[in-house]
């Protein structure tokens, strides 16, 4: 719902997440300099330039974008062996994965009514600040890690990380002594 309605913070997503990183369609891995340069680094990644449609290096050592990263872009790259590979973005992969989880499908799978999902999405849409407090049981549930991951995706999509009144905090019983 957040993505379909455009209730996301694209500037935050470009700067603070892996969503603009170019991904190889053949392997599903991030495109690396070692894929396209003989002595390229495995730790150098790329994004697609929204203006030119070409790939460009994502700078290391800073979160400042080097150019206008295209979250929805598609491109191609020539590998060191001369083969051409199609590229997409992490964002595109997320959108494709979520296509199977319409509000109606979520209702069939989890029993949560689409109207309730709509209400939750409206409560999370920018510029509202959202803070998720995860109780100690969430991570212990079957697939609880995926529930917690969904919280993190919602926060990343809506720019609710690193701003006062936003973010997440969990509680794990038995570890309270570490805070003292």
């Amino acid at each position: 719902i957040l993505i379909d309605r455009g209730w996301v913070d694209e500037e935050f997503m470009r700067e603070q997440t892996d969503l603009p990183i170019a991904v190889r369609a053949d392997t599903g891995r991030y495109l690396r300099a070692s894929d396209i340069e003989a002595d390229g680094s495995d730790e150098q990644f790329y994004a697609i330039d929204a203006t030119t449609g070409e790939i460009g290096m994502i700078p290391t050592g800073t979160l400042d974008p080097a150019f206008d990263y295209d979250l929805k872009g598609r491109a191609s790259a020539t590998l060191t062996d001369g083969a051409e590979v199609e590229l997409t973005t992490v964002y595109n992969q997320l959108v494709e994965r979520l296509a199977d989880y319409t509000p109606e499908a979520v209702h069939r799978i989890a029993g949560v009514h689409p109207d309730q999902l709509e209400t939750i999405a409206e409560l999370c849409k920018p510029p509202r600040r959202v803070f998720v407090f995860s109780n100690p049981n969430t991570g212990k549930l079957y697939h609880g890690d995926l529930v917690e991951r969904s919280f993190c995706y919602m926060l990343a999509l809506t720019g609710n990380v690193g701003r006062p009144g936003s973010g997440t905090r969990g509680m794990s019983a038995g570890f309270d002594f570490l805070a003292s």
Side-chain angles (χ1 to χ4, degrees):
I1 293 170
L2 293 170
I3 291 170
D4 288 347
R5 301 270 170 85
W7 295 346
V8 294
D9 184 338
E10 290 191 2
E11 182 180 342
F12 181 87
M13 291 164 29
R14 284 184 187 95
E15 181 182 288
Q16 298 289 324
T17 74
D18 68 345
L19 294 170
I21 295 178
V23 178
R24 293 176 53 160
D26 62 339
T27 62
R29 291 176 40 116
Y30 293 165
L31 178 69
R32 301 165 183 330
S34 59
D35 294 332
I36 59 176
E37 300 172 18
D39 294 325
S41 170
D42 265 351
E43 297 177 10
Q44 177 62 63
F45 304 121
Y46 292 82
I48 300 167
D49 188 321
T51 304
T52 67
E54 301 294 321
I55 60 170
M57 287 186 189
I58 296 174
T60 58
T62 180
L63 292 177
D64 292 330
F67 48 89
D68 185 15
Y69 301 153
D70 191 349
L71 292 167
K72 302 169 190 166
R74 298 193 187 274
S76 61
T78 304
L79 304 178
T80 54
D81 65 3
E84 194 82 7
V85 65
E86 295 301 313
L87 304 172
T88 187
T89 64
V90 174
Y91 179 82
N92 284 334
Q93 288 184 318
L94 175 64
V95 170
E96 289 167 15
R97 179 73 175 113
L98 292 176
D100 294 335
Y101 296 95
T102 63
E104 295 73 28
V106 171
H107 185 229
R108 284 191 306 277
I109 295 165
V112 180
H113 195 276
D115 291 345
Q116 190 171 16
L117 294 170
E118 174 80 25
T119 299
I120 293 168
E122 284 187 43
L123 290 170
C124 296
K125 77 178 182 178
R128 175 174 247 153
R129 293 182 186 212
V130 179
F131 183 85
V132 176
F133 182 81
S134 178
N135 72 36
N137 292 324
T138 306
K140 295 177 185 175
L141 298 172
Y142 183 63
H143 292 310
D145 60 321
L146 299 178
V147 172
E148 291 174 340
R149 185 176 292 187
S150 70
F151 297 154
C152 292
Y153 263 120
M154 178 276 298
L155 294 168
L157 289 170
T158 59
N160 276 294
V161 179
R163 298 182 328 177
S166 69
T168 184
R169 179 159 192 255
M171 185 179 94
S172 183
F175 288 94
D176 299 338
F177 69 90
L178 291 176
S180 50

